[in-house]
């Protein structure tokens, strides 16, 4: 894996979960008793990476750096790169911004990816085919994203991706969003001539984890209109892979032209440049066995895009309220597999849990948390510096930092953000309680967002 330079995208604003990210960067929302961004960083550390670039918003750099360096005590060398807060940058814009820092092929991962899978599986596919880009896809996330989330009930439409794969090789031959079509999808005849057996899948989710050649950055530099990796860059490369350079006329389809006044053009054939390592991997790969059915699997293509599908493993993108809640529900039983050399206890050594309280085996109790007598915590995670009063019942919930829940309260299926105070005998069911809120004694709420909306908008 050391031939790849890892980049963690942690500059997202959490636009699908703004009730949680009004006062805290999405990258450090607690998942279990660790910040969200720790999971992909830890995954990279476990794979042996000693250095990585972390892309963050300039205004959030100190908070995210403090969380990783001080709270998580990451050993790897982290290069934090800030991007402007006032520009609506996508992931491809961020890659373009750090182009000069990239010295080899890339591994790009989003800060909201969590899973117990091995990166070697993805790398093996990438190396074997000498791929320009290899993308990780997950199965089953669409059903989770459609689950009920805390807050007001509403019908949530899950946008589908159409992922076209060559049945024999995992070649990624088609990728587009449902939003790009009305009622029908059209395919070029040439696509079926070269790949007669294509499987179009609609239940796969892009994990936002990619291996790609360094030369992809040259295309980004020239094609300035490309802003997002998933929605624009990958579909662009998927289409380009079917254009053989020797057959291309000298027009816009054969070149990538900058939007600037410069007339310089990027030679797309550079995307297929191979080092000795990649060539050796391809020569030794069973995919290139000329005695088998795969002898012409590349069709002489200069650009090659592949997919690796993760099945049967814990793998989630925490980019919605539903998937964030589900990750917190599942993390207790998976944390043991995700830990590196430093064990993360389910109950932090500084936490105080009274003897007559009950804490479920899959719960996580963070630093300096107190759980009073006769309190019950089931299938829930309590973050740092929180206080749980006597006879409190917490079920299927997330409680963030510096929360006080007074005696006799009941919390079910809810997300309680940081610095919240809930007075005695409050009942909160399937709600989101925004940062800094105070809930009066005996207050009862169901399927609500309890937050000062005006104040949240100012932040």
């Amino acid at each position: 894996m050391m031939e790849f330079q890892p980049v963690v995208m942690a500059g997202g604003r959490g636009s699908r979960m703004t009730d949680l990210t009004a006062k805290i960067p999405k990258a450090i929302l607690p998942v279990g008793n660790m910040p969200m961004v720790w999971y992909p960083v830890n995954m990279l550390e476990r794979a042996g990476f000693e250095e990585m670039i972390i892309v963050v918003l300039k205004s959030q750099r100190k908070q995210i750096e403090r969380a990783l360096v001080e709270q998580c005590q990451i050993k790897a060398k982290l290069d934090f790169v800030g991007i402007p807060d006032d520009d609506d940058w996508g992931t491809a814009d961020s890659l373009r911004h750090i182009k000069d820092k990239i010295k080899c092929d890339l591994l790009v991962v989003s800060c909201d990816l969590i899973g117990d899978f091995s990166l070697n599986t993805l790398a093996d596919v990438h190396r074997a085919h000498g791929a320009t880009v290899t993308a990780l896809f997950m199965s089953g996330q669409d059903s989770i994203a459609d689950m009920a989330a805390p807050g007001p009930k509403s019908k949530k439409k899950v946008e589908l991706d159409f992922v076209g794969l060559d049945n024999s090789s995992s070649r990624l031959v088609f990728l587009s969003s449902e939003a790009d079509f009305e009622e029908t999808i059209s395919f070029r005849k040439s696509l079926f001539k070269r790949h007669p057996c294509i499987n179009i899948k609609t239940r796969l989710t892009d994990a936002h984890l990619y291996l790609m050649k360094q030369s992809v950055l040259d295309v980004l530099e020239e094609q300035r209109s490309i802003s997002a990796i998933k929605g624009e860059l990958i579909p662009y490369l998927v289409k380009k892979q079917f254009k053989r350079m020797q057959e291309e006329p000298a027009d816009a389809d054969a070149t990538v032209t900058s939007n600037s006044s410069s007339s310089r053009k990027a030679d797309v054939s550079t995307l297929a440049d191979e080092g000795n390592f990649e060539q050796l991997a391809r020569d030794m790969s069973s995919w290139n066995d000329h005695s088998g059915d795969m002898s012409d699997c590349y069709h002489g293509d200069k650009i090659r895009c592949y997919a690796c599908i993760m099945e049967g493993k814990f793998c989630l993108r925490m980019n919605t309220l539903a998937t964030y809640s589900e990750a917190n529900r599942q993390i207790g039983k998976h944390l043991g597999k995700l830990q590196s050399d430093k064990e993360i206890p389910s109950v932090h050594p500084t936490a105080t849990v009274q003897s007559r309280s009950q804490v479920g085996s899959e719960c996580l109790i963070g630093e300096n948390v107190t759980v009073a007598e006769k309190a019950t915590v089931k299938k829930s995670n309590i973050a740092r510096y929180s206080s749980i009063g006597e006879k409190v019942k917490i079920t299927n919930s997330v409680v963030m930092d510096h929360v006080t829940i007074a005696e006799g309260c009941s919390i079910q299926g809810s997300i309680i953000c940081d610095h919240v105070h809930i007075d005695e005998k409050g009942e909160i069911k399937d709600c989101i309680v925004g940062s800094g809120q105070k809930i009066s004694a005996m207050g009862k709420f169901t399927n609500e967002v309890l937050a000062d909306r005006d104040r949240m908008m100012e932040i």
Side-chain angles (χ1 to χ4, degrees), residues 99 120 145 149 258 292 316 331 349 405 435:
K99 181 178 183 292
N120 287 326
S258 173
L316 280 174
I331 190 59
I405 303 178
S435 179

Side-chain angles (χ1 to χ4, degrees), residues 15 93 105 153 155 193 197 202 224 243 295 306 455:
S15 58
D93 295 313
D105 293 349
K153 295 299 181 185
K155 191 172 183 179
K193 287 181 180 179
C197 297
T202 60
R224 306 292 295 187
K243 296 184 180 294
S295 59
Y306 282 84
R455 190 170 65 179

Side-chain angles (χ1 to χ4, degrees), residues 218-238:
D218 295 329
V219 173
L220 280 181
E221 186 63 28
E222 297 298 329
Q223 187 68 13
R224 306 292 295 187
S225 62
I226 292 179
S227 180
I229 295 176
K230 185 260 181 179
E232 297 170 299
L233 176 61
I234 304 301
Y236 172 83
L237 294 175
V238 168

